[in-house]
Amino acid sequence: MIVDDQIDYVLARRRIHEALIEGSHLRIVVSDTILSNWFWDILQHHDVIIKDMDLRRSLEKVIGVPLPDVITTGMIEEFNLLDAGSQKPISSDPIVWFAGIVLGPSWGAVKPSPDHLKELFSWFIDNLNKVQGPDVESLIDVRLAQWQEQTSGKISIIYGDLKLQRYAAIRFFCAWDMLSGYPESLRREWLENIHIFSPEREKLAAGLEGLPRHPDMDKALQQFVVPYWNRRFQDRIVELRDAGA
Protein backbone atom coordinates (compact mmCIF):
# COMPACT_ATOMS: atom_id res chain seq x y z
CA MET A 1 0.00 0.00 0.00
CA ILE A 2 0.99 3.66 -0.48
CA VAL A 3 1.17 5.99 2.53
CA ASP A 4 0.70 9.61 1.48
CA ASP A 5 -1.01 11.16 4.50
CA GLN A 6 -1.99 10.59 8.14
CA ILE A 7 -5.12 8.61 7.26
CA ASP A 8 -3.02 6.20 5.19
CA TYR A 9 -0.61 5.94 8.12
CA VAL A 10 -3.37 4.78 10.49
CA LEU A 11 -4.53 2.17 7.96
CA ALA A 12 -0.95 1.06 7.40
CA ARG A 13 -0.38 0.46 11.13
CA ARG A 14 -3.55 -1.65 11.23
CA ARG A 15 -2.48 -3.68 8.20
CA ILE A 16 1.01 -4.18 9.65
CA HIS A 17 -0.58 -5.54 12.82
CA GLU A 18 -2.82 -7.88 10.81
CA ALA A 19 0.04 -9.07 8.62
CA LEU A 20 2.23 -9.86 11.63
CA ILE A 21 -0.56 -11.88 13.23
CA GLU A 22 -1.44 -13.74 10.02
CA GLY A 23 2.18 -14.16 8.89
CA SER A 24 1.34 -12.68 5.47
CA HIS A 25 3.55 -10.47 3.27
CA LEU A 26 2.93 -6.73 3.17
CA ARG A 27 4.86 -4.04 1.27
CA ILE A 28 4.33 -0.39 2.23
CA VAL A 29 5.73 2.61 0.35
CA VAL A 30 5.83 5.85 2.37
CA SER A 31 6.06 8.99 0.22
CA ASP A 32 6.20 11.52 3.07
CA THR A 33 9.50 11.92 4.94
CA ILE A 34 7.84 12.93 8.21
CA LEU A 35 5.40 10.02 8.12
CA SER A 36 8.22 7.59 7.48
CA ASN A 37 9.71 8.55 10.84
CA TRP A 38 6.57 7.25 12.54
CA PHE A 39 7.42 3.65 11.63
CA TRP A 40 10.83 3.44 13.28
CA ASP A 41 9.42 2.02 16.53
CA ILE A 42 8.93 -1.31 14.75
CA LEU A 43 12.40 -1.40 13.19
CA GLN A 44 13.66 -3.97 15.69
CA HIS A 45 10.82 -6.40 15.05
CA HIS A 46 12.29 -9.56 13.52
CA ASP A 47 9.56 -9.75 10.85
CA VAL A 48 9.91 -6.11 9.73
CA ILE A 49 12.46 -4.75 7.25
CA ILE A 50 12.65 -0.99 6.72
CA LYS A 51 14.62 0.39 3.77
CA ASP A 52 15.36 4.08 3.85
CA MET A 53 15.26 5.44 0.28
CA ASP A 54 15.45 9.10 1.32
CA LEU A 55 18.93 10.11 0.15
CA ARG A 56 18.96 13.34 2.12
CA ARG A 57 18.11 11.61 5.37
CA SER A 58 20.59 8.82 4.62
CA LEU A 59 23.35 11.37 4.11
CA GLU A 60 22.35 13.21 7.29
CA LYS A 61 22.83 9.98 9.22
CA VAL A 62 26.31 9.53 7.74
CA ILE A 63 27.66 13.06 8.25
CA GLY A 64 25.80 13.66 11.52
CA VAL A 65 24.25 17.07 10.71
CA PRO A 66 20.98 18.27 9.12
CA LEU A 67 21.16 19.20 5.44
CA PRO A 68 20.08 22.65 4.23
CA ASP A 69 17.61 22.86 1.35
CA VAL A 70 20.34 23.85 -1.14
CA ILE A 71 21.69 20.28 -0.93
CA THR A 72 19.11 18.41 -2.99
CA THR A 73 18.43 14.72 -3.49
CA GLY A 74 19.41 15.09 -7.15
CA MET A 75 22.83 16.49 -6.23
CA ILE A 76 23.46 13.71 -3.72
CA GLU A 77 22.70 11.17 -6.42
CA GLU A 78 24.60 13.01 -9.19
CA PHE A 79 27.82 13.27 -7.19
CA ASN A 80 27.56 9.81 -5.58
CA LEU A 81 27.83 11.18 -2.05
CA LEU A 82 26.52 7.98 -0.50
CA ASP A 83 29.19 5.69 -1.93
CA ALA A 84 30.21 3.17 0.70
CA GLY A 85 33.06 4.44 2.83
CA SER A 86 33.29 7.78 1.06
CA GLN A 87 31.81 9.92 3.82
CA LYS A 88 32.10 10.32 7.58
CA PRO A 89 30.72 12.64 10.29
CA ILE A 90 31.62 16.31 9.81
CA SER A 91 31.94 19.22 12.22
CA SER A 92 31.75 22.10 9.73
CA ASP A 93 28.91 23.88 7.95
CA PRO A 94 27.40 21.21 5.64
CA ILE A 95 27.17 23.77 2.81
CA VAL A 96 30.92 24.45 3.05
CA TRP A 97 31.65 20.72 3.17
CA PHE A 98 29.31 19.96 0.27
CA ALA A 99 30.62 22.79 -1.93
CA GLY A 100 34.19 21.61 -1.41
CA ILE A 101 33.26 18.16 -2.69
CA VAL A 102 31.00 19.21 -5.57
CA LEU A 103 32.86 22.30 -6.83
CA GLY A 104 36.42 21.85 -5.57
CA PRO A 105 38.72 23.05 -2.76
CA SER A 106 38.34 26.77 -3.47
CA TRP A 107 34.61 26.47 -2.74
CA GLY A 108 35.28 24.72 0.56
CA ALA A 109 37.48 27.57 1.80
CA VAL A 110 36.17 29.11 5.00
CA LYS A 111 37.69 32.60 4.99
CA PRO A 112 37.24 35.17 2.20
CA SER A 113 40.33 37.09 1.06
CA PRO A 114 41.89 38.67 -2.07
CA ASP A 115 43.88 35.48 -2.66
CA HIS A 116 40.71 33.42 -2.37
CA LEU A 117 39.00 35.69 -4.92
CA LYS A 118 41.84 34.92 -7.35
CA GLU A 119 41.20 31.20 -6.82
CA LEU A 120 37.51 31.69 -7.62
CA PHE A 121 38.34 33.67 -10.77
CA SER A 122 40.59 30.81 -11.89
CA TRP A 123 37.79 28.33 -11.21
CA PHE A 124 35.29 30.36 -13.23
CA ILE A 125 37.75 30.69 -16.14
CA ASP A 126 38.45 26.94 -16.09
CA ASN A 127 34.70 26.26 -16.21
CA LEU A 128 33.69 28.90 -18.76
CA ASN A 129 32.34 26.36 -21.23
CA LYS A 130 30.73 24.07 -18.67
CA VAL A 131 26.98 24.44 -18.20
CA GLN A 132 26.12 24.17 -14.51
CA GLY A 133 22.72 22.83 -13.51
CA PRO A 134 20.32 25.03 -11.50
CA ASP A 135 21.10 23.16 -8.27
CA VAL A 136 24.84 23.81 -8.67
CA GLU A 137 24.19 27.47 -9.59
CA SER A 138 22.16 27.82 -6.39
CA LEU A 139 25.03 26.33 -4.39
CA ILE A 140 27.47 28.80 -6.00
CA ASP A 141 25.18 31.71 -5.11
CA VAL A 142 24.85 30.55 -1.51
CA ARG A 143 28.62 30.26 -1.03
CA LEU A 144 29.28 33.69 -2.59
CA ALA A 145 26.63 35.20 -0.31
CA GLN A 146 28.25 33.56 2.72
CA TRP A 147 31.66 35.03 1.88
CA GLN A 148 30.10 38.43 1.17
CA GLU A 149 28.55 38.46 4.65
CA GLN A 150 31.79 37.35 6.32
CA THR A 151 33.85 40.30 5.13
CA SER A 152 33.47 44.01 4.35
CA GLY A 153 34.70 46.78 2.07
CA LYS A 154 35.85 46.17 -1.49
CA ILE A 155 36.27 42.43 -1.05
CA SER A 156 32.69 42.03 0.15
CA ILE A 157 31.40 44.04 -2.82
CA ILE A 158 33.34 41.87 -5.29
CA TYR A 159 31.91 38.66 -3.80
CA GLY A 160 28.46 40.22 -4.16
CA ASP A 161 29.23 41.27 -7.74
CA LEU A 162 30.21 37.69 -8.59
CA LYS A 163 26.90 36.51 -7.16
CA LEU A 164 24.71 38.99 -9.05
CA GLN A 165 26.59 39.51 -12.33
CA ARG A 166 29.40 37.01 -12.25
CA TYR A 167 30.18 36.78 -15.96
CA ALA A 168 30.18 40.55 -16.51
CA ALA A 169 32.35 40.97 -13.40
CA ILE A 170 34.80 38.28 -14.49
CA ARG A 171 35.17 39.80 -17.94
CA PHE A 172 35.89 43.26 -16.57
CA PHE A 173 38.29 42.34 -13.75
CA CYS A 174 40.26 39.90 -15.91
CA ALA A 175 40.47 42.33 -18.83
CA TRP A 176 41.47 45.24 -16.56
CA ASP A 177 44.23 43.15 -15.04
CA MET A 178 45.41 41.91 -18.45
CA LEU A 179 45.91 45.57 -19.44
CA SER A 180 47.76 46.51 -16.27
CA GLY A 181 50.85 47.56 -18.25
CA TYR A 182 48.97 50.22 -20.22
CA PRO A 183 47.91 53.77 -19.27
CA GLU A 184 44.58 53.88 -17.46
CA SER A 185 43.10 56.15 -20.13
CA LEU A 186 43.78 53.49 -22.76
CA ARG A 187 42.41 50.74 -20.57
CA ARG A 188 39.16 52.65 -20.09
CA GLU A 189 38.91 53.49 -23.80
CA TRP A 190 39.47 49.93 -24.95
CA LEU A 191 37.06 48.40 -22.46
CA GLU A 192 34.44 51.00 -23.36
CA ASN A 193 34.86 50.02 -27.01
CA ILE A 194 34.00 46.40 -26.21
CA HIS A 195 31.17 47.53 -23.88
CA ILE A 196 32.44 46.07 -20.61
CA PHE A 197 33.87 49.14 -18.84
CA SER A 198 32.44 49.92 -15.41
CA PRO A 199 33.56 52.92 -13.30
CA GLU A 200 32.32 51.13 -10.18
CA ARG A 201 34.37 48.04 -10.93
CA GLU A 202 37.43 50.13 -11.76
CA LYS A 203 37.37 51.44 -8.18
CA LEU A 204 37.28 47.88 -6.88
CA ALA A 205 40.04 46.53 -9.12
CA ALA A 206 42.99 47.97 -7.16
CA GLY A 207 44.60 45.16 -5.19
CA LEU A 208 43.07 42.44 -7.34
CA GLU A 209 46.10 41.65 -9.47
CA GLY A 210 47.39 38.40 -10.90
CA LEU A 211 44.06 37.20 -12.26
CA PRO A 212 43.92 34.47 -14.93
CA ARG A 213 43.69 35.45 -18.58
CA HIS A 214 40.17 35.36 -19.91
CA PRO A 215 40.29 33.76 -23.40
CA ASP A 216 37.36 35.78 -24.75
CA MET A 217 38.81 39.05 -23.45
CA ASP A 218 42.25 38.11 -24.75
CA LYS A 219 40.80 37.75 -28.23
CA ALA A 220 38.66 40.89 -28.02
CA LEU A 221 41.56 43.10 -26.89
CA GLN A 222 43.88 42.03 -29.69
CA GLN A 223 42.17 44.52 -32.00
CA PHE A 224 43.55 47.33 -29.82
CA VAL A 225 46.79 45.88 -28.50
CA VAL A 226 48.27 44.83 -31.85
CA PRO A 227 47.81 48.23 -33.58
CA TYR A 228 49.07 49.96 -30.44
CA TRP A 229 52.35 48.08 -30.48
CA ASN A 230 52.67 48.40 -34.25
CA ARG A 231 52.45 52.17 -33.86
CA ARG A 232 54.95 52.12 -31.01
CA PHE A 233 57.32 50.05 -33.14
CA GLN A 234 56.96 52.38 -36.13
CA ASP A 235 57.49 55.44 -33.94
CA ARG A 236 60.66 53.89 -32.54
CA ILE A 237 61.96 53.18 -36.03
CA VAL A 238 61.36 56.83 -36.97
CA GLU A 239 63.16 58.00 -33.82
CA LEU A 240 66.20 55.85 -34.55
CA ARG A 241 66.26 56.93 -38.19
CA ASP A 242 66.05 60.61 -37.23
CA ALA A 243 68.77 60.14 -34.63
CA GLY A 244 71.03 58.51 -37.22
CA ALA A 245 70.43 61.31 -39.69
Side-chain angles (χ1 to χ4, degrees):
M1 65 175 294
I2 305 295
V3 176
D4 288 324
D5 54 34
Q6 295 182 24
I7 295 177
D8 291 337
Y9 169 76
V10 174
L11 295 175
R13 296 295 300 215
R14 184 179 303 161
R15 291 191 59 183
I16 290 171
H17 178 70
E18 293 171 351
L20 290 174
I21 292 177
E22 297 171 0
S24 58
H25 294 287
L26 173 64
R27 184 169 183 262
I28 297 177
V29 178
V30 185
S31 62
D32 186 287
T33 303
I34 295 177
L35 292 177
S36 67
N37 290 325
W38 296 359
F39 289 94
W40 290 103
D41 61 308
I42 58 174
L43 177 60
Q44 302 304 320
H45 195 287
H46 59 84
D47 287 326
V48 174
I49 299 175
I50 296 182
K51 295 183 178 180
D52 188 355
M53 303 303 291
D54 186 327
L55 298 184
R56 279 174 51 85
R57 188 167 63 184
S58 296
L59 185 58
E60 286 176 343
K61 291 178 181 178
V62 174
I63 65 176
V65 294
L67 293 179
D69 292 340
V70 71
I71 303 177
T72 65
T73 298
M75 296 175 78
I76 295 172
E77 187 173 17
E78 178 181 356
F79 295 100
N80 299 315
L81 292 184
L82 279 172
D83 282 351
S86 64
Q87 306 302 344
K88 58 184 179 180
I90 64 172
S91 58
S92 61
D93 180 342
I95 294 178
V96 176
W97 164 81
F98 191 71
I101 293 176
V102 172
L103 300 172
S106 58
W107 291 93
V110 177
K111 294 183 178 180
S113 68
D115 287 338
H116 177 248
L117 277 172
K118 295 176 188 178
E119 292 180 14
L120 291 186
F121 272 91
S122 295
W123 186 90
F124 280 120
I125 295 298
D126 291 341
N127 289 273
L128 273 180
N129 298 318
K130 183 177 180 180
V131 178
Q132 307 290 353
D135 287 344
V136 174
E137 287 287 349
S138 295
L139 180 62
I140 288 174
D141 288 342
V142 169
R143 287 299 286 134
L144 291 171
Q146 287 180 324
W147 287 313
Q148 182 183 10
E149 293 174 359
Q150 291 168 7
T151 186
S152 60
K154 290 183 178 181
I155 295 179
S156 176
I157 296 173
I158 295 174
Y159 279 108
D161 199 12
L162 288 175
K163 178 179 181 295
L164 295 176
Q165 295 181 308
R166 63 174 130 268
Y167 296 109
I170 291 166
R171 286 194 294 269
F172 173 84
F173 287 116
C174 288
W176 187 261
D177 188 51
M178 288 164 61
L179 298 175
S180 59
Y182 297 87
E184 288 191 355
S185 58
L186 274 181
R187 296 160 83 178
R188 295 189 193 101
E189 177 186 341
W190 292 346
L191 296 190
E192 285 174 348
N193 286 338
I194 59 174
H195 311 293
I196 68 167
F197 179 72
S198 165
E200 294 77 17
R201 290 188 176 117
E202 181 187 357
K203 297 175 183 177
L204 300 172
L208 196 62
E209 294 89 14
L211 298 180
R213 298 183 71 87
H214 192 301
D216 296 339
M217 295 300 95
D218 204 357
K219 183 178 180 180
L221 293 172
Q222 289 298 315
Q223 61 181 307
F224 309 112
V225 172
V226 172
Y228 172 83
W229 284 108
N230 284 340
R231 288 193 301 270
R232 291 286 301 271
F233 182 67
Q234 292 299 325
D235 291 343
R236 183 58 177 161
I237 290 177
V238 171
E239 290 176 5
L240 292 174
R241 186 175 59 201
D242 292 344

